[in-house]
């Protein structure tokens, strides 16, 4: 029920945001708004723009952090899977996260030199194919395990806890995890800006969002429900890395390799808007600086000519390094995702899109649509608060424990 509700919430908020791409008319403009931040500034003013800027950059940065944690878990799972296959399921196959996080960070330093979104179509295609692949594998393995068990494990009350308070913390953290899994509001307008018309960009993006949310929800429900049905209260937090499955080991390896490839692209999808924002700010602030603005042309054998900028290389490398270091300090998959999801869900996926829609459609206070959307926003705020409380408690417990 929670996943279906969050799917509906995400669909509503993305539809509202799609209409904010063109101003003042949602289909004919003529002003095109190329980013979420630009939209907030145009519709809601400078003060909201500054507040949103802090939250938006934190959200994108947090996603990059989460992707490093997840990718390291998947690389480690490949090592453990091979070890269990060689030594047996009871073998002490133990590997640390740090080397794999450093490896992923090194790859991202190189990938971060991709100039902008319009040069990343191939990366998006690869990431999408990988996502479908490991989702099908997770779904298939869970379904096969249920058939093999001959029963549906688990219970309607879920994983038991020592007390009612502990049960509430875990439930609230789960809401945070689901809140992290759905919204993509922060990069929606950047993606919409890559579309061509006709048909109008907002109609194409609404259709794409509806399809993507439907497909995403299908896989979430299949992996989540069949995973729990297969392992009951022993279901791992990450189905493909927590070793509910041991065999076929090569399929587990392949699924985790797909996750890593997906996250290589996903890291860039969420980091490029941060790069663009910071680099644009420095360019405007220091127009005469050669370090910030000067480009150098290089030609390597067998490769096309490319340009480098010293500031971009230094900033993007420092950005990747900082996310890698933080991931090494807090390598807690479910807890980190819960905190990030709860922290960013309401302001970015609900509050700002609703407020911008009010301005775009000139909706007056206390009209029926205003009351419905304001109530929608208030309920989502309450969900965000309880999810954040539960996730922070879980993160602190994991760190201290």
């Amino acid at each position: 029920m929670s996943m279906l509700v969050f799917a509906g919430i995400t669909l509503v908020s993305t539809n509202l945001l799609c209409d904010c791409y063109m101003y003042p008319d949602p289909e004919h403009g003529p002003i095109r708004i190329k980013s979420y931040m630009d939209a907030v500034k145009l519709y809601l003013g400078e003060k909201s723009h500054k507040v949103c800027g802090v939250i938006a950059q934190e959200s994108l940065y947090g996603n990059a952090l989460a992707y490093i944690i997840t990718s390291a878990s998947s690389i480690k799972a490949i090592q453990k899977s091979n070890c269990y296959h060689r030594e047996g399921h009871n073998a002490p196959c133990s590997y640390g996260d740090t080397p794999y996080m450093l490896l992923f960070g090194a790859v991202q330093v190189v990938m971060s030199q991709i100039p902008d979104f319009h040069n990343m179509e191939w990366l998006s295609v690869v990431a999408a194919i990988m996502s479908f692949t490991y989702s099908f594998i997770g779904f298939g393995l869970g379904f096969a395990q249920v058939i093999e068990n001959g029963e549906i494990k688990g219970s309607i009350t879920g994983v038991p806890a020592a007390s009612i308070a502990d049960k509430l913390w875990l439930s609230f953290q789960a809401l945070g995890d689901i809140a992290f899994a759905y919204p993509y509001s922060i990069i929606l307008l950047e993606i919409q800006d890559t579309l061509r018309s006709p048909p109008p960009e907002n109609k194409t993006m609404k259709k794409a969002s509806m399809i993507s949310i439907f497909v995403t929800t299908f896989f979430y429900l299949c992996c989540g429900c069949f995973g729990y049905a297969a392992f009951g209260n022993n279901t791992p937090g990450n189905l493909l890395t927590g070793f509910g499955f041991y065999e076929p080991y090569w399929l587990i390896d392949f699924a985790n390799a797909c996750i890593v490839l997906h996250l290589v692209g996903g890291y860039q999808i969420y980091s490029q808007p941060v790069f663009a924002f910071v680099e644009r700010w420095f360019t405007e602030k220091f127009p005469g600086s050669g370090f910030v603005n000067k480009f150098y042309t290089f030609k390597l054998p067998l490769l096309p000519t490319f340009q480098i900028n010293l500031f971009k290389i230094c900033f993007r490398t420092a950005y990747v390094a900082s996310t890698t270091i933080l991931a090494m300090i807090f390598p807690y998959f479910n807890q980190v995702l819960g905190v990030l999801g709860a922290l960013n869900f309401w302001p970015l996926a609900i509050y700002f899109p609703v407020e911008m829609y009010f301005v775009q459609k000139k909706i007056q206070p206390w009209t029926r649509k205003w009351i419905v959307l304001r109530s929608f926003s208030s309920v989502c705020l309450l969900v965000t608060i309880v999810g954040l409380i539960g996730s922070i408690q879980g993160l602190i417990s994991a760190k201290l424990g």
Side-chain angles (χ1 to χ4, degrees):
M1 284 177 63
S2 295
M3 284 193 273
L4 291 174
V5 168
F6 272 92
I9 290 171
T10 306
L11 185 60
V12 171
S13 67
T14 52
N15 279 350
L16 298 180
L17 195 56
C18 287
D19 284 337
C20 296
Y21 172 64
M22 301 284 273
Y23 180 84
D25 185 89
E27 291 187 11
H28 307 292
I31 301 172
R32 294 175 183 271
I33 303 169
K34 297 181 178 294
S35 72
Y36 190 95
M37 293 287 297
D38 291 344
V40 172
K41 185 176 183 179
L42 178 64
Y43 286 104
L44 304 179
E46 187 62 37
K47 184 177 179 180
S48 293
H49 177 251
K50 289 179 179 178
V51 173
C52 179
V54 174
I55 301 171
Q57 304 313 315
E58 171 271 318
S59 171
L60 293 166
Y61 186 88
N63 275 279
L65 172 68
Y67 280 14
I68 292 176
I69 295 171
T70 310
S71 62
S73 297
S74 292
I75 298 172
K76 184 172 70 173
I78 294 173
Q79 291 282 81
K80 291 177 73 173
S81 173
N82 292 333
C83 174
Y84 286 135
H85 180 70
R86 290 192 312 268
E87 309 293 337
H89 296 174
N90 296 319
C93 299
S94 180
Y95 299 91
D97 292 299
T98 301
Y100 308 117
M101 290 182 179
L102 291 172
L103 176 63
F104 188 83
V107 171
Q108 290 304 330
V109 168
V110 177
M111 297 294 292
S112 293
Q113 304 312 314
I114 295 174
D116 57 41
F117 257 105
H118 295 278
N119 292 336
M120 294 178 67
E121 181 179 358
W122 65 274
L123 197 59
S124 298
V125 171
V126 170
I129 293 171
M130 296 300 102
S131 181
F132 272 109
T133 302
Y134 70 72
S135 297
F136 269 117
I137 292 172
F139 167 35
L141 287 172
F143 182 76
Q145 188 68 45
V146 172
I147 299 299
E148 183 181 324
N149 294 341
E151 62 174 336
I152 295 176
K153 294 188 176 182
S155 67
I156 194 68
T157 55
V159 180
S163 66
I164 293 176
D166 288 344
K167 184 67 174 176
L168 283 174
W169 293 134
L170 290 170
S171 299
F172 292 165
Q173 182 184 311
L175 288 176
D177 284 331
I178 299 172
F180 176 85
Y182 268 109
Y184 51 95
S185 305
I186 193 66
I187 59 169
L188 185 143
L189 292 179
E190 277 91 345
I191 296 171
Q192 192 166 337
D193 189 48
T194 66
L195 302 177
R196 288 177 172 81
S197 60
E201 291 91 342
N202 65 330
K203 290 185 177 180
T204 304
M205 197 66 197
K206 284 179 181 180
K207 183 178 179 181
S209 293
M210 183 175 68
I211 294 170
S212 67
I213 291 169
F214 175 82
V215 172
T216 300
T217 303
F218 172 78
F219 280 114
Y220 284 173
L221 287 171
C222 287
C223 291
C225 295
F226 278 109
Y228 186 60
F231 302 108
N233 295 335
N234 295 319
T235 306
N238 186 331
L239 201 60
L240 291 171
T241 65
F243 286 90
F245 305 110
Y246 290 93
E247 300 292 343
Y249 81 100
W250 58 268
L251 190 59
I252 308 298
D253 290 354
F254 180 65
N256 279 295
C258 289
I259 292 175
V260 174
L261 288 174
H262 174 206
L263 297 183
V264 167
Y267 185 101
Q268 289 303 312
I269 295 292
Y270 279 95
S271 297
Q272 287 291 332
V274 180
F275 299 157
F277 175 78
V278 173
E279 289 160 6
R280 184 167 59 244
W281 186 88
F282 271 89
T283 300
E284 294 171 355
K285 192 76 173 177
F286 306 102
S289 171
F291 176 70
V292 173
N293 298 297
K294 189 173 181 179
F295 285 83
Y296 300 89
T297 302
F298 277 81
K299 179 71 174 74
L300 295 176
L302 305 177
L303 293 174
T305 301
F306 62 95
Q307 292 185 320
I308 65 168
N309 173 270
L310 293 178
F311 171 73
K312 287 185 176 183
I313 290 176
C314 293
F315 167 69
R316 294 183 181 198
T317 302
Y319 175 92
V320 173
S322 67
T323 56
T324 305
I325 291 169
L326 267 178
M328 290 160 59
I329 296 172
F330 296 101
Y332 311 114
F333 177 75
N334 287 85
Q335 292 87 346
V336 168
L337 296 194
V339 170
L340 293 172
L343 194 61
N344 301 310
F345 174 71
W346 180 73
L348 297 178
I350 307 299
Y351 174 75
F352 286 118
V354 167
E355 296 301 317
M356 289 190 287
Y357 185 79
F358 285 158
V359 176
Q360 165 69 268
K361 297 294 186 179
K362 298 180 175 62
I363 296 173
Q364 297 301 313
W366 302 110
T367 58
R368 185 168 66 177
K369 184 175 281 190
W370 185 92
I371 292 171
V372 169
L373 288 175
R374 188 67 78 196
S375 301
F376 168 73
S377 180
S378 300
V379 171
C380 291
L381 174 59
L382 292 176
V383 173
T384 292
I385 291 171
V386 298
L388 183 60
I389 292 171
S391 299
I392 290 175
Q393 190 275 341
L395 185 61
I396 293 171
S397 296
K399 187 65 178 175
L400 294 180

